[in-house]
Amino acid sequence: MCFQDQLLTYLSELGPKIPVIFLIDFLRYLAFASLAFLFFYIWKHPFQNRKIQNKFATNAQFRREFLYSVSSVVVYTAVTFVVLVLRKYGYFQFYERIEDHGWTYLILSTLLILAIQDFYFYWTHRLMHTRWLFKIVHKVHHDSLIPSPWTAYSFSVWEALIHALILPIIATLFPVHPLALLVFMTFQIIRNVLGHSGYEIFPSWMISNRILKLINTNTNHDMHHQSFRYNYGLYTTIWDYVFGTVHPKYEETFAEITRGKSEQVQLQESN
Ligand SMILES: [Zn+2]
Ligand SMILES: [Zn+2]
């Protein structure tokens, strides 16, 4: 079969999967962003005195973020589709049967995917903040000065593409099972939605522990949206601490917010 015929066969085989890929990604975003929105902005929740910024985002911002997030899902779908076509040609190392590599491998490979993405995100994010790339690639995301759960996928097409490339990168490096991808994608959207939620949910004592302070917090990423500098990390603050890009006021701000607003007011009044 010539190259063109083979490509057409693959495209017609995989074509019907496009709406499914889109829906899985879109519904994952919609489910977790709506749940976080309902929890933090509609229901009475226990973190009300832990709002990171005093101002609230507008409905117009929510709408804009939602539409950009849909466009990001279109980009993710396109990248996944190209990866599936290339897989037919023997590229990438996906496997279907867990017993081929075992459960230990499955767990370790899932953790490795998250670790690689953490490092990849830190450096691509720093690059996006260079004068050359910021305006075209990253500005859309930073238009949300007060992040909300809907900000999670609010990216320009270029930024969405950069994030989506993590899939072909990891599938080139080592064998990946769909279950590892499912856990990874679910974890990333939960962390992403929480990081933009506008409220801090982590315990105050976390920041004084040398190991636990390496876990990224909602305050950390919120401060990135406010300052446009510092705190480039995703799941961890490891690379920010290693490369000296932690916001100078991060630990202090986290301690203040987790102390709770009412307590802060009482402290200020008693001073
Ligand atoms: Zn963000
Ligand atoms: Zn940024």
Side-chain angles (χ1 to χ4, degrees):
M1 202 190 283
C2 75
F3 176 79
Q4 210 175 353
D5 289 344
Q6 198 168 40
L7 180 65
L8 283 174
T9 314
Y10 291 156
L11 290 180
S12 58
E13 243 174 70
L14 294 167
K17 290 193 174 170
I18 294 174
V20 182
I21 303 167
F22 175 86
L23 272 179
I24 291 173
D25 255 354
F26 172 70
L27 292 176
R28 186 166 27 220
Y29 164 76
L30 186 69
F32 287 102
S34 331
L35 207 64
F37 187 75
L38 278 174
F39 181 80
F40 289 108
Y41 294 86
I42 309 286
W43 296 336
K44 284 215 173 300
H45 60 84
F47 304 104
Q48 288 189 15
N49 62 348
R50 279 166 165 236
K51 178 91 171 65
I52 300 166
Q53 298 186 45
N54 291 323
K55 288 188 206 153
F56 283 85
T58 61
N59 286 339
Q61 182 187 313
F62 298 148
R63 268 196 298 277
R64 182 176 51 78
E65 292 173 337
F66 178 78
L67 291 175
Y68 271 115
S69 295
V70 173
S71 103
S72 295
V73 175
V74 171
V75 175
Y76 301 159
T77 307
V79 170
T80 309
F81 182 72
V82 171
V83 165
L84 290 178
V85 173
L86 289 174
R87 184 192 175 188
K88 292 271 186 192
Y89 287 99
Y91 294 95
F92 307 119
Q93 310 176 58
F94 293 104
Y95 68 101
E96 312 273 315
R97 295 169 354 135
I98 293 177
E99 54 271 29
D100 284 356
H101 295 280
W103 280 96
T104 313
Y105 177 84
L106 182 68
I107 295 164
L108 290 178
S109 62
T110 309
L111 294 173
L112 190 60
I113 294 171
L114 292 167
I116 291 171
Q117 195 204 10
D118 193 54
F119 187 71
Y120 175 78
F121 183 92
Y122 176 84
W123 279 109
T124 50
H125 191 187
R126 273 194 77 172
L127 276 175
M128 284 186 242
H129 275 271
T130 54
R131 205 151 46 97
W132 314 106
L133 294 178
F134 184 80
K135 225 172 168 181
I136 312 162
V137 180
H138 197 39
K139 188 183 169 297
V140 166
H141 189 64
H142 274 277
D143 281 342
S144 305
L145 289 172
I146 309 163
S148 81
W150 305 106
T151 318
Y153 280 175
S154 181
F155 305 128
S156 70
V157 168
W158 298 113
E159 181 167 357
L161 183 65
I162 290 169
H163 294 316
L165 288 180
I166 192 68
L167 174 66
I169 290 172
I170 53 164
T172 303
L173 294 174
F174 50 88
V176 178
H177 190 272
L179 194 58
L181 288 180
L182 179 76
V183 173
F184 153 63
M185 287 304 286
T186 310
F187 185 81
Q188 66 80 24
I189 190 69
I190 293 173
R191 189 65 206 95
N192 200 349
V193 158
L194 286 176
H196 293 104
S197 67
Y199 288 88
E200 188 51 77
I201 58 163
F202 287 100
S204 55
W205 42 262
M206 217 178 93
I207 209 76
S208 44
N209 182 294
R210 274 167 59 188
I211 303 293
L212 293 178
K213 77 192 238 183
L214 299 178
I215 296 172
N216 207 353
T217 66
N218 304 354
T219 306
N220 185 287
H221 192 67
D222 203 295
M223 288 178 82
H224 175 75
H225 275 262
Q226 294 173 62
S227 66
F228 289 65
R229 294 175 68 194
Y230 306 114
N231 303 357
Y232 298 99
L234 178 62
Y235 305 127
T236 74
T237 53
I238 295 174
W239 306 117
D240 278 304
Y241 277 111
V242 168
F243 297 111
T245 51
V246 177
H247 194 294
K249 292 203 163 165
Y250 166 52
E251 294 182 17
E252 184 189 322
T253 310
F254 179 84
E256 253 171 48
I257 287 160
T258 49
R259 206 182 288 139
K261 289 269 156 82
S262 51
E263 217 174 299
Q264 284 171 40
V265 172
Q266 277 169 22
L267 273 175
Q268 279 160 12
E269 280 171 357
S270 63
N271 282 338

